[in-house]
Amino acid sequence: MDSIIPIVMSALEDIDNGKSLRNVLRFHVNQYNLDREEESTLYYYTNEIYRKLNWIDLFIKTSSSNFSLKKIKSDMRALLRIATHMLKVNNKPVDEVVTMLEPYYRSVAQMSFDTLLELIQSVTEENLFENREDLPSKYSLKYFTYTWIIRKFIKQWGVDFTEKVLQSLLESIPMYVRINTLKASFDEIVDNLATYEIKYTPVEIIPNLIRIDETPVPIPRLDEFKEGKLVIQQKASALVSLVLNPQLGEEILDMCASPGGKTSHIVAQAGTAKNILAVDLNKERVKILTDRLKLLGAEEVKILSADARTLKKTVKSTFDKILLDPPCSGSGTYSSRPDIKWRMKQRDLNWYIKLQNALLDEASKLLEVGGCIVYSTCSLFEDENHEIISQFLKNNSNFSLMLASPMIGIESNLLENKAQELYPHLHETEGFFIAKIQKEGN
Ligand SMILES: C[S@@+](CC[C@H](N)C(=O)[O-])C[C@H]1O[C@@H](n2cnc3c(N)ncnc32)[C@H](O)[C@@H]1O
């Protein structure tokens, strides 16, 4: 391939148009049959540009009033973002960037490419911080996040903890892989990993989960991954099914199941798929769930495409255990999915909260007396976590908190120290919340 730049541009345009960074990367790697080096260049630029998008865009916007970044053609927007990253993050001189990128430049406000890059280069970081007096708007540029999110974090935790969390959301977190015991044994897989010279560390407390310390081959390229013997799953996510603690013979409901990482883990723990019902609203995601459970050897799980907010109408039985892993802001995953932090507006958060409340209400109706619900999110916002649970307990005196053990995270003091919170800088995993509640009577 002559240059990876047009592919990086195309990926940036797709993300700009609302597609998810993860899907876009997967698509581009396959579509253009990229080799390992090209793949890592594509990953580097897309992830880094989206991690620092507000900062990069501000350099471009401050450089000239002749054009609006929003209104120029999307391929030029992508090219200017790459150029600005090269100038301001990689510290490349203007003439080097011009040589690398000029073949892809058409026109922006009738300016030559080198004039435009000289203008961007002349903007300093101090210029960007001008008129940013208050801490949240300064942090917004220092930690590349919307000001409203920073305000919320500071309100929750104070400044020191907020800074640590914000910093950690810019750093990579380790990759974890779960050995799918429905398809392979732990020993078989670790023997294979050794032959590929992959270095790993078993995770304490979570059986069959390992942290990948070093790998010469990307895990998705391994046959074991393609055959469903290995599942890439974050430590916090793998913890959720342990907290649910499914047992053989119990009726189990996974209310928001796709793509099925947790469902398949529940099957592996329960030792059977027979009494497990997995539900998802979105038809495309139900297809993904069905294919994935088949690949992972959990095809006997009953799958239902339905709105779990009104599930009682369709499902007449009750369940011993329910996992509710609802849609959320994903604010705990900004380090691996930096695109989502720019998509979410404050009003979207209210939409999630409403949905989470409705799903929890419905879960409570589908639960047997004595049964439990595990509620988990990859969000760092208390409104999607503690608030949902406290409000629910206030309205439902027949429910009480159980210890969400095994406890790896911090015990939530807002919830009697029984729920747990996980943070990237403390627990080497995505930001996560897990609570467990029990129904004591009707
Ligand atoms: C956080 S994801 C679940 C991840 C999954 N538990 C896993 O570990 O692989 C949330 C899922 O909820 C689904 N969803 C959204 N609204 C729903 C609803 N009203 N009823 C059922 N599922 C819903 C979405 O399609 C999405 O697949």
Side-chain angles (χ1 to χ4, degrees):
M1 183 168 301
D2 286 347
S3 168
I4 185 73
I5 296 299
I7 295 172
V8 178
M9 285 170 71
S10 155
L12 289 174
E13 281 188 78
D14 282 354
I15 303 164
D16 208 11
N17 286 331
K19 294 194 181 143
S20 98
L21 182 139
R22 270 188 194 173
N23 292 344
V24 167
L25 291 180
R26 208 173 302 139
F27 172 82
H28 280 73
V29 169
N30 293 332
Q31 175 80 3
Y32 299 102
N33 202 11
L34 300 186
D35 65 27
R36 296 259 309 281
E37 200 181 319
E38 292 162 339
E39 180 179 336
S40 77
T41 308
L42 173 68
Y43 271 66
Y44 170 75
Y45 279 114
T46 45
N47 274 299
E48 278 295 302
I49 287 173
Y50 268 86
R51 269 188 192 156
K52 301 182 173 141
L53 195 67
N54 63 337
W55 183 84
I56 286 180
D57 283 1
L58 197 54
F59 273 113
I60 305 172
K61 286 178 198 160
T62 312
S63 69
S64 166
S65 53
N66 288 359
F67 67 91
S68 146
L69 186 61
K70 256 193 198 154
K71 289 188 182 151
I72 63 175
K73 293 255 170 24
S74 60
D75 57 342
M76 290 303 98
R77 191 157 51 241
L79 189 68
L80 288 188
R81 284 172 172 165
I82 300 170
T84 306
H85 187 279
M86 287 179 169
L87 294 172
K88 295 296 178 183
V89 180
N90 305 139
N91 296 318
K92 289 189 193 295
V94 170
D95 52 357
E96 196 180 315
V97 179
V98 170
T99 308
M100 287 173 80
L101 301 183
E102 195 159 37
Y104 314 102
Y105 182 68
R106 288 186 289 134
S107 174
V108 172
Q110 296 174 337
M111 276 191 266
S112 69
F113 196 42
D114 47 358
T115 309
L116 187 47
L117 295 200
E118 288 291 357
L119 286 172
I120 296 173
Q121 183 69 310
S122 69
V123 179
T124 64
E125 265 218 87
E126 289 74 47
N127 296 143
L128 302 190
F129 279 90
E130 274 162 26
N131 303 323
R132 288 183 180 253
E133 304 299 339
D134 61 309
L135 202 62
S137 57
K138 277 187 194 144
Y139 277 10
S140 163
L141 271 189
K142 186 173 174 197
Y143 296 109
F144 319 110
T145 308
Y146 280 136
T147 311
W148 71 267
I149 294 179
I150 292 171
R151 282 209 185 92
K152 280 183 86 65
F153 283 174
I154 292 178
K155 196 166 167 216
Q156 287 179 191
W157 307 313
V159 173
D160 288 355
F161 198 82
T162 296
E163 271 207 278
K164 288 185 179 123
V165 173
L166 289 170
Q167 182 58 44
S168 71
L169 291 174
L170 297 172
E171 288 160 10
S172 299
I173 42 170
M175 173 187 262
Y176 295 86
V177 163
R178 180 166 59 78
I179 289 134
N180 177 20
T181 52
L182 298 170
K183 296 251 345 228
S185 72
F186 185 84
D187 291 346
E188 174 196 334
I189 295 297
V190 294
D191 284 352
N192 292 359
L193 296 187
T195 63
Y196 304 134
E197 297 183 8
I198 294 175
K199 299 210 172 80
Y200 64 89
T201 311
V203 175
E204 270 180 54
I205 302 186
I206 307 182
N208 301 312
L209 191 75
I210 57 176
R211 188 185 68 210
I212 302 296
D213 297 325
E214 235 182 277
T215 175
V217 201
I219 300 293
R221 293 192 181 221
L222 298 181
D223 286 342
E224 288 77 358
F225 177 81
K226 293 178 188 155
E227 290 161 8
K229 295 176 176 174
L230 285 179
V231 182
I232 297 175
Q233 190 172 23
Q234 262 297 310
K235 180 163 80 172
S237 166
L239 180 62
V240 172
S241 315
L242 292 199
V243 175
L244 188 72
N245 190 23
Q247 300 293 317
L248 191 68
E250 286 176 339
E251 295 291 335
I252 294 169
L253 168 65
D254 187 351
M255 263 182 119
C256 294
S258 186
K262 297 189 187 74
T263 320
S264 64
H265 195 193
I266 292 172
V267 176
Q269 282 176 275
T272 176
K274 284 212 176 94
N275 308 325
I276 300 174
L277 174 65
V279 177
D280 206 279
L281 173 66
N282 180 311
K283 289 227 158 58
E284 259 174 53
R285 288 185 61 93
V286 168
K287 163 97 178 69
I288 294 170
L289 174 67
T290 310
D291 293 347
R292 192 150 173 73
L293 291 183
K294 194 167 168 208
L295 174 73
L296 299 179
E299 59 270 49
E300 284 187 15
V301 168
K302 289 184 266 333
I303 296 174
L304 184 62
S305 170
D307 187 340
R309 285 171 294 188
T310 51
L311 200 57
K312 205 159 172 10
K313 274 193 215 152
T314 331
V315 177
K316 297 295 171 202
S317 48
T318 51
F319 296 87
D320 301 304
K321 287 181 178 160
I322 298 178
L323 171 60
L324 175 53
D325 186 39
C328 72
S329 63
S331 48
T333 68
Y334 287 163
S335 68
S336 54
R337 296 156 71 203
D339 52 325
I340 64 170
K341 70 180 166 183
W342 308 115
R343 295 235 168 88
M344 218 189 65
K345 305 280 175 298
Q346 220 163 343
R347 61 175 178 276
D348 300 328
L349 186 59
N350 297 333
W351 182 85
Y352 282 123
I353 292 168
K354 205 168 159 206
L355 178 59
Q356 291 152 356
N357 279 319
L359 287 164
L360 186 54
D361 270 342
E362 193 69 5
S364 70
K365 295 175 195 152
L366 289 157
L367 190 69
E368 268 296 318
V369 172
C372 67
I373 298 171
V374 168
Y375 176 89
S376 61
T377 74
C378 53
S379 167
L380 289 165
F381 296 130
E382 283 172 3
D383 344 27
E384 294 187 276
N385 297 337
H386 315 69
E387 280 293 316
I388 299 280
I389 298 296
S390 330
Q391 204 52 44
F392 176 83
L393 292 173
K394 234 183 237 169
N395 297 336
N396 295 274
S397 56
N398 55 335
F399 275 80
S400 64
L401 278 161
M402 291 175 80
L403 190 65
S405 64
M407 189 65 74
I408 288 182
I410 291 181
E411 299 170 355
S412 306
N413 55 17
L414 294 175
L415 291 169
E416 304 170 18
N417 292 336
K418 288 184 172 167
Q420 58 176 311
E421 303 157 15
L422 293 107
Y423 297 96
H425 68 292
L426 296 176
H427 307 111
E428 293 194 309
T429 186
E430 288 174 339
F432 234 83
F433 171 81
I434 312 174
K436 188 171 184 178
I437 53 177
Q438 186 172 35
K439 190 175 194 173
E440 289 162 345
N442 276 313

